Amino acid sequence: MLLADFGTSYCKLLDTELDTSPRVVPARSLGADFRADLATGHNGRRRAQAYVNELTALAWGGEALIDEPDFVLLDCGSRDIKFVRYAGGRLADMGWNAECGASMGFTIELLASHYHLDYQTLPVPERAFSVTCGVLGLSHIFDAVVEGNPEAVAVARFVKGIALNAYRFAGEPARLYLSGGLCDNPLFVASLPCQVAPLGRFVLLQGLLRARQRGAAAAPSSIRLESATEKR
């Protein structure tokens, strides 16, 4: 069975019969007729026979990977942010922000390419920009550079502002499990003002594996497995 997390910028794929581990491919590299058996993600509905809501996949992935009754799991994608919170082993809260989190991961990646920066080497700045949107927050960088600040410092302050906004959105937990490509961005991770446990890019695929095993009836908090033909 081919499982897929169809993200905006990257797709995470796992063939349960052929692959020994998941793989990441650029979304633009997939042909128009590429289909999965079971999928989640922004473009999942039109590319799969069956679709799992992203919050469902995130929650199930958290259940599979986190052996704790109480936890907060935050997923930071290219175009949105979402979280689930468990208390006493049960789903207690969730949130999905595609407006204030708009193009967050995509913008961070774009800035590194535009300014030729390496997030592996950028230190965490003392101050952060007040950023609530990846797109609208770009003006802070441009203003800071015009004022004479180094480009690297301006971008680092932007990234820290993005991290703080995501942290507040998740409810400001003392310990935060992190999902998504930004797990590989040390500046973003270090900018979160709490203990962070990065889980990597394949949490939602783990959720699909659990969905495959359990089916729609066990979906947390009545979030359900959907036919890919259902309307959003």
Side-chain angles (χ1 to χ4, degrees):
M1 174 179 280
L2 180 59
L3 309 179
D5 174 8
F6 288 106
T8 305
S9 300
Y10 296 96
C11 297
K12 283 71 70 177
L13 305 173
L14 177 65
D15 190 318
T16 58
E17 297 179 1
L18 300 177
D19 294 337
T20 57
S21 60
R23 49 198 170 96
V24 180
V25 299
R28 67 178 65 181
S29 70
L30 299 177
D33 59 346
F34 184 88
R35 295 289 184 275
D37 298 303
L38 181 62
T40 189
H42 175 64
N43 294 312
R45 276 186 175 83
R46 64 185 181 86
R47 284 187 174 273
Q49 295 181 18
Y51 176 81
V52 177
N53 178 285
E54 290 175 62
L55 280 173
T56 303
L58 182 64
W60 272 339
E63 289 181 7
L65 296 172
I66 303 170
D67 188 22
E68 298 174 17
D70 306 320
F71 66 84
V72 177
L73 171 58
L74 173 69
D75 180 76
C76 297
S78 289
R79 60 175 285 126
D80 57 24
I81 53 178
K82 45 193 169 289
F83 80 92
V84 293
R85 180 173 64 84
Y86 274 69
R90 299 181 63 86
L91 184 64
D93 193 13
M94 69 185 77
W96 192 342
N97 194 330
E99 295 181 0
C100 293
S103 300
M104 187 181 72
F106 173 78
T107 304
I108 290 175
E109 183 176 347
L110 185 66
L111 286 169
S113 176
H114 179 72
Y115 288 114
H116 306 289
L117 300 174
D118 182 2
Y119 289 124
Q120 302 292 325
T121 61
L122 286 185
V124 178
E126 293 184 4
R127 294 184 297 153
F129 292 137
S130 177
V131 180
T132 57
C133 172
V135 175
L136 298 179
L138 289 174
S139 61
H140 292 296
I141 297 176
F142 302 146
D143 291 343
V145 172
V146 168
E147 292 170 0
N149 291 281
E151 295 169 348
V153 173
V155 171
R157 292 180 64 188
F158 172 86
V159 172
K160 184 174 182 177
I162 285 285
L164 293 176
N165 181 60
Y167 170 70
R168 288 189 290 267
F169 175 70
E172 303 184 14
R175 178 177 173 84
L176 181 66
Y177 286 92
L178 185 63
S179 164
L182 287 176
C183 287
D184 298 327
N185 186 319
L187 174 60
F188 179 85
V189 174
S191 294
L192 292 164
C194 63
Q195 184 180 4
V196 182
L199 297 180
R201 309 179 76 149
F202 305 122
V203 176
L204 272 68
L205 280 183
Q206 288 292 331
L208 291 183
L209 284 171
R210 179 155 290 202
R212 175 180 174 233
Q213 296 167 355
R214 296 169 60 175
S221 190
S222 299
I223 308 173
R224 60 197 178 90
L225 180 70
E226 302 173 1
S227 164
T229 59
E230 290 187 48
K231 294 183 179 180
R232 193 165 191 169

